Structures are given as structure tokens and as C-alpha cells.
């Protein structure tokens, strides 16, 4: 599914989940945008892996509960807020957007590590929240609410 347009991917996921036995783990390789993960979970996918959290982290793109943050943008030059005000990760608890942006501009490798750390935490939290919503029987409601800010594929 890597590199295919998301509509085609969704169509293929629907076809595959109809024929793959329900008692087997369903793995979708290379599906990494949070909005695609939500769609795929709805279709019955159980397991994912993708480079996006770290690849995008290394280049300064953070996945946040409120959408995409491209930390190199000038608007963050004096922003004392964390990458994601709703995040409890080490990066968000200890570093501001302005400082991380400064690290990128200075060519410090720590910048990419900090954003990658946050992104991995974001994905782990997303999957934990998905599992919890499934167990509580309200996945579709969770998908609607969480997905409102998920526009990571765009731009
Ligand atoms: Zn964070």
C-alpha cells in the first residue's frame, strides 16, 4: 500500500479485510497518516508500521492533537508553547516550539530527535486511544472527534 493514493488504498483495504480471516491479525504496511490509520482500523486492520513519525520528525513536522506543526515556520520563532499543548511527552514537557525551531536553524541533530520523540509518543497515544475506544464500544465517535484535526496528508 506504500505510495498509493489513499482512495485506492482504502478500496484495497476493504477488499482485503473481506477475505482475510477475522481470527488472524491484519497488518497494513506503510500506512502512517493518522487519518488513514483511523479509516483502516474501521475496516478491521489491527497492525501498522510506517516511517512517518521519525522521517517527518527529522525534518521538523510534528503530528499534534490539533493538526500539523511545521516547526521551522517563522511564526514559531517566539512561541513559548510546547509542540502540542495536549501532549505529556518528554519533548512537550521540557522544550518550547521556539527552542526546537532554533535547534533546527542551528543544524542541531537534537531538533529532529525531539520532534521524532514527540511524534512516536503521539502515535503510541493515538493507538492506545483507539484500543480504548474499541473496548468501550465508541470507536466511531472517537474517530469523528479525533479526526477533526487530522489533515496531515495535506500540504
Ligand atoms: Zn509531545
Amino acid at each position: 500500500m506504500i505510495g498509493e493514493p489513499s482512495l485506492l488504498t482504502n478500496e484495497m483495504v476493504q477488499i482485503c479485510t473481506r477475505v482475510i480471516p477475522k481470527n488472524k491479525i491484519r497488518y497494513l504496511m506503510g500506512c502512517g497518516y493518522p487519518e488513514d490509520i483511523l479509516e483502516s482500523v474501521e475496516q478491521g486492520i489491527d497492525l501498522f508500521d510506517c516511517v512517518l513519525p521519525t522521517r517527518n520528525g527529522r525534518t521538523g513536522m510534528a503530528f499534534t492533537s490539533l493538526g500539523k506543526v511545521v516547526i521551522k515556520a517563522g511564526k514559531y520563532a517566539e512561541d513559548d508553547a510546547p509542540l502540542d499543548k495536549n501532549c505529556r511527552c518528554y519533548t512537550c514537557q521540557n522544550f518550547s516550539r521556539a527552542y526546537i525551531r532554533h535547534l533546527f536553524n542551528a543544524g542541531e541533530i537534537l531538533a529532529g530527535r525531539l520532534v521524532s520523540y514527540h511524534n512516536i509518543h503521539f502515535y503510541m497515544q493515538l493507538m492506545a486511544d483507539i484500543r480504548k475506544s474499541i473496548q468501550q464500544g465508541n470507536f466511531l465517535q472517537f474517530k469523528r472527534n479525533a479526526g477533526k484535526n487530522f489533515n496531515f496528508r495535506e500540504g
Side-chain angles (χ1 to χ4, degrees), residues 1-148:
M1 300 298 172
I2 296 173
E4 300 294 341
S6 66
L7 277 179
L8 178 60
T9 298
N10 289 342
E11 190 179 320
M12 293 307 297
V13 167
Q14 286 179 7
I15 291 168
C16 291
T17 53
R18 270 187 239 135
V19 296
I20 297 174
K22 290 190 184 319
N23 64 339
K24 301 289 184 188
I25 292 176
R26 296 164 175 197
Y27 164 58
L28 182 58
M29 184 170 80
C31 174
Y33 286 105
E35 51 266 54
D36 293 335
I37 288 175
L38 289 173
E39 289 298 327
S40 299
V41 167
E42 185 176 356
Q43 298 303 320
I45 298 295
D46 302 297
L47 188 66
F48 302 87
D49 80 276
C50 190
V51 299
L52 279 180
T54 51
R55 187 180 69 194
N56 288 18
R58 286 194 303 274
T59 59
M61 195 284 248
F63 294 88
T64 80
S65 61
L66 301 175
K68 184 188 318 187
V69 171
V70 179
I71 200 63
K72 293 179 187 174
K75 66 182 176 182
Y76 300 121
E78 297 183 20
D79 191 337
D80 290 334
L83 285 176
D84 185 346
K85 69 178 182 180
N86 299 316
C87 182
R88 306 294 305 160
C89 84
Y90 176 78
T91 298
C92 291
Q93 296 305 302
N94 293 288
F95 301 94
S96 69
R97 290 173 170 179
Y99 184 65
I100 296 169
R101 181 179 180 275
H102 158 75
L103 291 175
F104 268 108
N105 288 338
E108 290 287 344
I109 195 167
L110 177 61
R113 288 182 178 178
L114 290 175
V115 179
S116 294
Y117 187 94
H118 161 81
N119 284 347
I120 291 168
H121 186 275
F122 174 85
Y123 273 76
M124 290 178 69
Q125 188 63 53
L126 173 65
M127 297 313 292
D129 290 344
I130 287 172
R131 284 191 296 274
K132 186 176 171 188
S133 73
I134 291 170
Q135 289 165 350
Q136 294 175 341
N138 60 9
F139 170 73
L140 291 178
Q141 182 182 353
F142 171 79
K143 180 184 170 217
R144 256 191 319 276
N145 291 337
K148 283 178 191 166

